[in-house]
């Protein structure tokens, strides 16, 4: 699962733009649930085969199901069976004997059904239980989480067709344990079963499920019955169904069907969105030494999805953010859509082929899928792109200090959903990146191949991963797994340097200041001296360690962690001259990134810093160009005089649209009318990012002209251009523009809403029509309540209070009561 929206919210919540003074919540007592040991579920019975026959009641939001579930005792004889079955009506439960259903006694508490079997069965015997039931997902009260915002398993989207511009769909979401809302099962990841699902649906719709489409039968009542068969075992949470008006585009990989299910509007862009999938399948198959294991691979895009995407076996389900036109994809590069596509595909090996035996061991699913994004980025786009991606992971994890107490393999948690955090994803991916570097590519991938083949169609955990990597490499890895998998936190590393001219010795002092034990850190230390580079290998094993070595001349640079692999909060006490040397001489993305960050702080006082910033405007990797553009202080005469002609050239000629857009944004802040023609020319770009930057820049020079231009883009604005239109209206617009701003805010993704929030609130404050203002207040309050559990309540309350003050001064108090109520709710403790 890719948890995109949670990541977006986490990042946005830290933005100071939302609140000048965020209120701090009082420390909470430790939750008793954290003291519970979350053991791997005991296997009393094993699922063998699950056969479902389902039909849907769109009006009631019900699913009528018949199930034949075949099981056997795992080891010990048993005369009873417990199945997870959440919020259902159970009509008949029977044992199938000689083709007949013999009723069984059972008890049911709305979550688990306990069945008394007809006799005692041993583990060399299987039996089949028949269940006639009704699933009522909308009536089941499910608690969502930051990662998965709802957990009712089965979703009816616009079932009555009353929501304009929204298709009618049905889809399922099983992770973590939502499948048992729509069929009785042992809803645990350490179960594996084959399956057959027969879906009777309106004949105008298409269906998708795991495995192969075995048959289709047109019925006489306007329906059609599709039968899907998954003939290789997989876990219940990976079961899926989808029903709706989708257009299918078919592709192939080594003779296997690869298909893309999209809304008709986006079907022409299917290959633009997903067309690189066979290439990724080939790359992952060769890299892992295990060919893609399933008989087909489908990807489907649905509305109102409750997370980012889900790796259902052979049939990945995506949220609608991956749907994009050819123009929108011009700005994507390796953005959310493409990174999610490769993330979910890697799960077909790590997660589906071999599945984490428990949610405590989720790392063997999600850390690998996270790492796979970096793996693909460096393969497809180059090492700088891979290094940039994994650095984003490191920074995402390190920016959340509350996570430093969470182990990667975690047997104590409040709720299984809590495992879907930046420790499991970004920290876990960064750890695998370090491990690959330590072992070397060949040994690392051989180890992964051993792990996959040894546990094929079964379950795995971190210890099995360790043993496989040890078998491949011949190295003991207990120390590595103990500190990174079964321990918490990360090194807080300080690095200082001392050169002794008299003795010609260089000392490097390494200090770990985190609580607890020292991390064992194998480090590559590159020494640049006399025009040569020499690498020294050093193991840090103590809280304070030092390396002393002789050099004929004072080194120009001592580069600790020369491979830039380390996951640590690092303070590197290099001089600015040393960082500048690092930028121009050390080879890696992170070498240059660190130098740009250091130079940004000193560009007003040191020529070496300005030299780095100006050079980085033309860096070979586009993300570093954008970093340098944003870092350049154009209020400094020396920086501006050197940067301005480069920025003008980048704005017009750079091949990367995001570099062009960043350059235009930077030039726009100069508010120089002489750049107006450049900005107007940029409005003709096919890139929404470039157009959006140009509109923002023009708004700073000529707000009235920008307002007029914004109107012309209302019907064809997406991404950055739509954000620019909204910002232009929110900053300078009135009631005339309010309907567009309001509807765009209401329909926007969380990140769009966050980005617009401050200007949106300012616009509400100056509206003339009290009814429009009330609409705005309500929309902000709804947003705050929806995401209150993520900590945004006080920030949104502050924004609403500001609106109240502004409107009161303007003589409108009609919204005051609603604002007061909303503020009280937002400031109250979250449930």
């Amino acid at each position: 699962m890719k948890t995109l929206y949670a990541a977006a919210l986490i990042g946005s919540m830290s933005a100071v733009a939302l609140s000048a003074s965020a209120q701090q919540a009082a420390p909470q007592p430790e939750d008793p649930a954290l003291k519970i040991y979350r053991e791997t579920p005991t296997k009393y019975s094993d699922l063998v085969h699950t056969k479902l026959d389902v039909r849907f009641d769109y009006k009631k939001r019900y699913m009528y199901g018949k199930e034949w579930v075949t099981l056997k005792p795992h080891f010990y004889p048993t005369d009873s069976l417990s199945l997870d079955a959440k919020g259902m009506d159970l009509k008949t439960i029977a044992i199938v004997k000689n083709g007949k259903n013999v009723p069984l006694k059972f008890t049911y508490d709305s979550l688990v059904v306990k069945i008394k079997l007809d006799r005692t069965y041993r583990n060399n015997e299987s039996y089949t239980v028949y269940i006639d039931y009704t699933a009522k997902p909308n009536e089941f009260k499910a608690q969502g989480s930051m990662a998965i915002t709802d957990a009712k398993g089965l979703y009816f989207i616009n079932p009555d067709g009353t929501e304009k511009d929204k298709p009618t769909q049905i889809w399922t979401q099983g992770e973590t344990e939502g499948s048992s809302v729509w069929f009785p099962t042992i809803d645990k990841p350490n179960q594996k079963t084959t399956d057959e699902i027969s879906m009777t649906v309106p004949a105008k719709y298409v269906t998708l499920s795991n495995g192969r489409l075995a048959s289709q039968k047109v019925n006489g009542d306007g329906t059609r019955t599709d039968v899907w068969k998954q003939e290789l075992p997989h876990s219940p949470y990976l079961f899926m169904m989808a029903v709706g008006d989708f257009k299918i585009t078919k592709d192939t990989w080594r003779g296997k069907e690869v298909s893309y299910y999209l809304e008709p509007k986006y079907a022409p862009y299917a290959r633009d969105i997903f067309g690189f999938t066979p290439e990724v399948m080939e790359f992952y198959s060769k890299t892992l030494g295990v060919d893609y294991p399933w008989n087909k691979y489908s990807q489907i895009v649905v509305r109102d999805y409750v997370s980012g995407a889900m790796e259902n076996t052979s049939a990945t389900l995506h949220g609608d953010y991956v749907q994009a036109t050819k123009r929108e994809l011009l700005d994507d590069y390796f953005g959310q859509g493409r990174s999610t596509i490769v993330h979910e595909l890697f799960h077909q090996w790590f997660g589906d082929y071999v599945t984490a035996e428990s949610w405590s061991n989720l790392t063997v699913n999600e850390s690998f899928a996270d790492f796979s994004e970096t793996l693909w980025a460096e393969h497809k786009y180059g090492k700088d792109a891979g290094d940039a991606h994994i650095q984003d992971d490191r920074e995402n994890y390190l920016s959340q200090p509350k996570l430093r107490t969470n182990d990667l393999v975690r047997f104590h948690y409040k709720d299984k959903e809590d495992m879907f955090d930046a420790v499991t994803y970004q920290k876990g991916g960064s750890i695998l990146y370090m491990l690959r570097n330590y072992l070397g590519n060949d040994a690392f991938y051989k180890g992964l191949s051993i792990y996959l083949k040894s546990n094929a169609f079964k379950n795995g955990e971190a210890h099995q991963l360790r043993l496989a990597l040890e078998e491949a490499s011949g190295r003991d890895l207990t120390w590595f797994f103990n500190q990174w998998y079964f321990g918490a936190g990360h090194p807080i590393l300080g690095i200082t340097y001392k050169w002794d001219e008299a003795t010609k010795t260089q000392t490097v002092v390494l200090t770990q200041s985190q609580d607890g034990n020292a991390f064992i850190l194998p480090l590559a230390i590159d020494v640049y001296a006399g025009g040569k580079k020499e690498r020294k290998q050093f193991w840090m094993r103590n809280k304070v360690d030092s390396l002393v070595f002789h050099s004929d001349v004072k080194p120009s640079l001592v580069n600790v962690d020369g491979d830039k692999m380390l996951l640590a909060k690092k303070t590197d006490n290099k001089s600015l001259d040393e960082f500048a040397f690092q930028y121009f001489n050390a080879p890696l993305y992170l070498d240059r990134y660190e130098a740009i960050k250091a130079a940004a702080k000193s560009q007003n006082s040191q020529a070496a810093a300005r030299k780095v910033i100006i050079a980085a405007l033309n860096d070979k990797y586009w993300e570093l160009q954008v970093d340098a553009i944003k870092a350049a202080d154009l209020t400094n005469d020396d920086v501006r005089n050197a940067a301005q002609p480069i920025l003008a050239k980048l704005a017009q000629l750079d091949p990367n649209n995001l570099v062009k857009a960043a350059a235009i944004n930077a030039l726009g802040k100069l508010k120089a009318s002489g750049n107006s023609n450049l900005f107007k020319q940029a409005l003709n770009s096919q890139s929404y990012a470039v157009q959006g930057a140009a509109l923002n820049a023009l708004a700073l020079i000529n707000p009235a002209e920008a307002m007029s231009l914004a109107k012309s883009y209302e019907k064809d604005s997406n991404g950055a251009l739509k954000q620019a239109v909204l910002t232009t209206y929110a900053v300078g617009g009135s009631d005339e523009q309010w309907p567009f701003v309001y509807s765009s805010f209401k329909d926007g993704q969380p990140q769009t809403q966050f980005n617009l929030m401050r200007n949106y609130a300012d616009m509400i404050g100056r509206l003339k029509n009290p009814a429009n203002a009330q609409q705005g207040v309500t929309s902000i309050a709804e947003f705050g309540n929806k995401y209150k559990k993520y900590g945004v309540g006080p920030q949104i309350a502050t924004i609403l209070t500001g609106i109240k003050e502004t409107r009161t001064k303007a003589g409108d108090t009609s919204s005051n009561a609603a604002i007061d109520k909303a503020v009280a709710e937002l400031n109250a403790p979250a449930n």
Side-chain angles (χ1 to χ4, degrees):
M1 173 170 285
K2 185 75 178 285
T3 57
L4 286 179
Y5 297 142
L9 284 171
I10 291 167
S12 296
M13 281 161 47
S14 65
V16 295
L18 272 179
S19 175
S21 56
Q23 299 178 25
Q24 300 297 316
Q28 298 296 313
E30 184 177 15
D31 194 304
L34 294 174
K35 297 186 181 298
I36 300 172
Y37 176 71
R38 307 292 182 174
E39 64 181 10
T40 299
T42 301
K43 297 174 78 170
Y44 300 102
S45 300
D46 292 341
L47 295 171
V48 177
H49 182 69
T50 304
K51 180 179 178 180
L52 300 172
D53 183 351
V54 304
R55 60 190 63 226
F56 306 96
D57 188 327
Y58 285 77
K59 184 176 181 180
K60 292 183 177 179
R61 283 71 159 163
Y62 287 176
M63 187 192 83
Y64 304 116
K66 299 181 187 297
E67 176 177 19
W68 295 261
V69 56
T70 302
L71 308 100
K72 67 181 185 65
H74 179 73
F75 185 81
Y76 300 104
T78 184
D79 62 356
S80 61
L81 170 67
S82 292
L83 296 175
D84 300 296
K86 300 186 178 84
M88 299 178 178
D89 284 347
L90 300 176
K91 300 177 182 178
T92 302
I93 298 181
I95 194 86
V96 179
K97 290 285 190 181
N98 300 317
K100 295 183 179 180
N101 295 330
V102 180
L104 297 172
K105 294 181 179 180
F106 65 92
T107 59
Y108 181 48
D109 64 1
S110 83
L111 295 176
V112 176
V113 56
K114 296 183 177 181
I115 303 166
K116 181 69 174 177
L117 300 175
D118 61 318
R119 64 177 177 85
T120 297
Y121 289 85
R122 300 184 179 276
N123 67 358
N124 61 350
E125 300 176 289
S126 62
Y127 58 91
T128 298
V129 172
Y130 168 76
I131 305 173
D132 186 355
Y133 67 98
T134 300
K136 301 179 175 181
N138 283 28
E139 297 175 19
F140 176 66
K141 302 303 180 184
Q143 179 66 42
S145 67
M146 182 177 286
I148 309 165
T149 59
D150 196 285
K152 62 185 180 183
L154 175 65
Y155 296 81
F156 290 83
I157 306 303
N158 195 21
D160 303 319
T162 55
E163 296 182 69
K164 184 181 178 182
D165 299 326
K166 180 179 284 189
T168 296
Q169 299 173 347
I170 293 173
W171 47 263
T172 61
Q173 164 55 37
E175 195 169 33
T176 48
E177 295 175 9
S179 288
S180 49
V181 181
W182 61 277
F183 67 98
T185 187
I186 304 175
D187 205 356
K188 304 298 178 187
N190 63 342
Q191 289 285 339
K192 296 267 184 168
T193 172
T194 55
D195 76 70
E196 176 181 325
I197 301 179
S198 174
M199 284 183 270
T200 298
V201 302
K204 63 182 178 179
Y205 292 143
V206 300
T207 68
L208 177 64
S209 189
N210 316 98
R212 64 184 177 90
L213 181 58
S215 66
Q216 290 186 300
K217 177 186 176 184
V218 177
N219 305 314
D221 58 356
T223 66
R224 188 188 70 253
T225 300
D226 292 354
V227 178
W228 292 84
K229 292 186 177 182
Q230 172 57 47
E231 292 153 325
L232 295 171
H234 64 147
S235 293
Y237 80 88
L238 296 167
F239 279 40
M240 75 84 69
M241 299 186 298
V243 183
D245 182 15
F246 300 100
K247 296 296 182 185
I248 308 171
T249 301
K250 292 193 175 182
D251 213 335
T252 61
W253 174 79
R254 295 193 194 176
K256 291 186 177 184
E257 178 187 324
V258 178
S259 52
Y260 319 126
Y261 288 63
L262 289 155
E263 293 177 29
K265 175 183 175 182
Y266 287 95
Y269 312 111
R271 294 188 189 278
D272 300 302
I273 300 166
F274 293 118
F276 69 108
T277 299
E279 182 185 359
V280 188
M281 295 171 74
E282 183 68 17
F283 171 64
Y284 285 164
S285 296
K286 287 183 175 178
T287 300
L288 296 172
V290 176
D291 289 345
Y292 175 80
W294 313 103
N295 63 354
K296 69 116 171 27
Y297 187 56
S298 299
Q299 294 177 89
I300 188 168
V301 183
V302 302
R303 293 290 190 97
D304 296 350
Y305 185 53
V306 294
S307 190
M310 180 62 206
E311 68 275 10
N312 309 297
T313 309
S314 80
T316 287
L317 188 146
H318 290 280
D320 61 5
Y321 65 91
V322 304
Q323 288 189 144
T325 65
K326 193 183 291 284
R327 277 191 67 190
E328 290 172 301
L329 290 168
L330 290 174
D331 301 328
D332 187 62
Y333 300 101
F334 193 53
Q336 287 186 344
R338 289 188 172 111
S339 65
T340 300
I341 289 167
V342 302
H343 176 111
E344 302 304 335
L345 178 52
F346 205 74
H347 269 311
Q348 300 299 316
W349 287 266
F350 286 87
D352 297 7
Y353 187 61
V354 181
T355 307
E357 69 167 13
S358 67
W359 301 120
S360 294
N361 270 281
L362 185 61
T363 178
V364 297
N365 290 8
E366 293 299 350
S367 299
F368 275 102
D370 182 275
F371 167 74
S372 76
E373 299 173 30
T374 295
L375 177 60
W376 175 252
E378 67 182 22
H379 169 77
K380 183 66 175 178
Y381 305 107
K383 182 162 176 55
D384 279 348
D387 288 350
H389 199 80
I390 203 68
Q391 181 61 15
D392 286 345
D393 277 2
R394 297 183 190 114
E395 291 181 348
N396 187 314
Y397 159 69
L398 291 171
S399 70
Q400 302 177 60
K402 66 179 181 179
L403 297 179
R404 66 182 180 272
T405 58
N406 289 352
D407 296 343
L408 182 57
V409 178
R410 204 175 318 157
F411 291 101
H412 294 87
Y413 50 75
K414 181 179 178 181
D415 187 274
K416 58 189 178 300
E417 306 287 343
D418 298 340
M419 290 299 300
F420 294 80
D421 62 9
V423 174
T424 296
Y425 284 78
Q426 287 83 5
K427 182 182 180 182
S430 300
I431 288 168
L432 289 169
Y433 195 66
M434 285 193 295
L435 186 54
R436 183 184 65 165
N437 183 68
Y438 172 66
L439 295 176
N441 282 6
D442 290 346
F444 179 75
Y445 292 125
K446 181 180 179 182
L448 300 194
S449 183
I450 292 170
Y451 170 81
L452 289 171
K453 291 174 181 176
S454 299
N455 302 292
F457 304 110
K458 296 187 293 185
N459 297 88
E461 61 168 54
H463 284 300
Q464 288 162 310
L465 175 64
R466 174 181 61 82
L467 292 170
L469 290 166
E470 288 182 342
E471 179 181 342
S473 68
R475 294 181 179 180
D476 179 85
L477 294 173
T478 301
W479 66 272
F480 186 94
F481 276 73
N482 281 348
Q483 71 182 20
W484 290 113
Y485 278 79
F486 301 104
H490 51 270
I492 299 177
L493 184 65
I495 310 170
T496 57
Y497 309 87
K498 181 182 179 182
W499 167 253
D500 189 321
E501 180 65 30
T503 61
K504 301 292 185 182
T505 54
Q506 174 74 55
T507 302
V508 182
V509 179
L510 305 167
T511 304
Q512 297 184 36
S513 59
Q514 74 278 357
D515 294 335
N517 295 329
F519 279 76
I520 300 172
L521 304 175
L523 297 171
I525 300 178
D526 291 335
V527 180
Y528 294 77
K532 298 178 181 180
K533 181 177 84 170
E534 178 187 357
R535 170 157 291 190
K536 299 180 182 296
Q537 300 291 346
F538 181 76
W539 283 71
M540 184 179 187
R541 300 180 184 275
N542 305 297
K543 280 293 190 77
V544 180
D545 265 333
S546 61
L547 171 67
V548 182
F549 58 88
H550 179 270
S551 178
D552 292 336
V553 296
K554 183 180 186 297
S556 301
L557 173 68
V558 178
N559 199 14
V560 176
D561 187 25
D563 289 331
K564 294 294 179 280
M565 293 289 154
L566 190 61
L567 176 63
K569 194 168 185 64
K570 184 173 67 172
T571 302
D572 197 343
N573 293 288
K574 294 188 178 88
S575 68
L576 194 280
D577 285 340
E578 288 169 329
F579 273 120
F581 183 92
Q582 180 173 308
Y583 179 83
F584 291 105
N585 294 276
L588 300 177
Y589 161 86
L590 193 52
D591 292 315
R592 298 175 345 256
Y593 176 80
E594 289 176 348
I596 292 169
K597 285 181 66 177
K601 300 173 185 177
S602 305
Q603 58 189 303
N604 287 319
S605 59
Q606 297 197 44
R610 295 192 289 274
K611 184 179 179 182
V612 169
I613 295 296
I614 298 305
L617 296 176
N618 285 310
D619 195 275
K620 65 178 183 176
Y621 182 59
W622 68 269
E623 287 192 70
L624 289 179
Q625 287 182 274
V626 172
D627 289 339
I629 292 168
K630 292 178 178 179
D633 182 0
L634 299 184
T635 65
N636 179 286
D637 291 343
D638 292 331
V639 175
R640 184 178 63 256
N641 292 336
Q644 194 165 353
I646 300 173
L647 293 172
K649 184 177 180 181
L650 295 176
Q652 298 173 82
L653 300 176
D654 198 272
N656 187 287
N657 291 326
L658 300 184
V659 172
K660 279 183 179 177
I664 291 168
N665 278 324
L667 290 170
K669 292 175 183 177
L670 296 176
K671 300 182 181 180
S673 59
N675 289 322
S676 293
N677 287 337
L678 185 156
F679 302 150
K680 290 177 182 178
Q681 181 183 2
L683 286 171
N684 296 320
S685 173
Q686 284 293 296
S687 162
Y688 288 122
V690 173
Q691 285 184 302
L695 183 60
N696 284 331
L698 284 168
L700 294 172
I701 298 171
N702 190 334
E705 183 179 18
M707 285 286 292
S708 177
L709 287 167
K711 180 69 175 177
S712 67
Y713 292 119
E714 281 188 12
K715 293 182 179 179
D716 183 23
S717 62
N718 287 293
L721 179 57
K722 186 164 190 176
Q723 188 75 46
V725 171
L726 290 172
T727 300
T728 300
Y729 284 170
V731 170
S734 61
D735 291 85
E736 180 183 352
Q737 290 79 34
W738 174 250
F740 180 81
V741 175
Y742 172 69
S743 63
S744 298
F745 180 86
K746 287 280 288 182
D747 297 338
Q749 298 290 359
Q751 190 68 56
T752 299
Q753 294 173 315
F754 263 111
N755 292 343
L756 187 64
M757 183 68 72
R758 179 59 69 187
N759 289 330
Y760 184 66
D762 290 344
M763 184 179 188
I764 295 168
R766 65 173 184 272
L767 292 172
K768 302 298 184 185
N769 187 333
N772 289 342
Q774 181 62 58
Q775 270 189 330
V777 166
T778 300
S779 65
I780 291 178
E782 289 174 348
F783 176 89
N785 283 313
K786 183 175 182 180
Y787 299 112
K788 178 181 175 181
K789 57 188 173 183
Y790 306 138
V792 302
Q795 292 97 318
I796 301 302
T798 299
I799 288 171
L800 288 171
T801 300
I803 293 173
K804 176 184 174 182
E805 292 173 356
T806 302
R807 296 206 63 81
T808 300
K809 289 178 182 178
D812 175 25
T813 59
S814 59
S815 300
N816 285 5
I819 290 174
D820 290 342
K821 180 182 178 183
V823 167
E825 291 174 349
L826 291 166
N827 281 327
N831 293 330

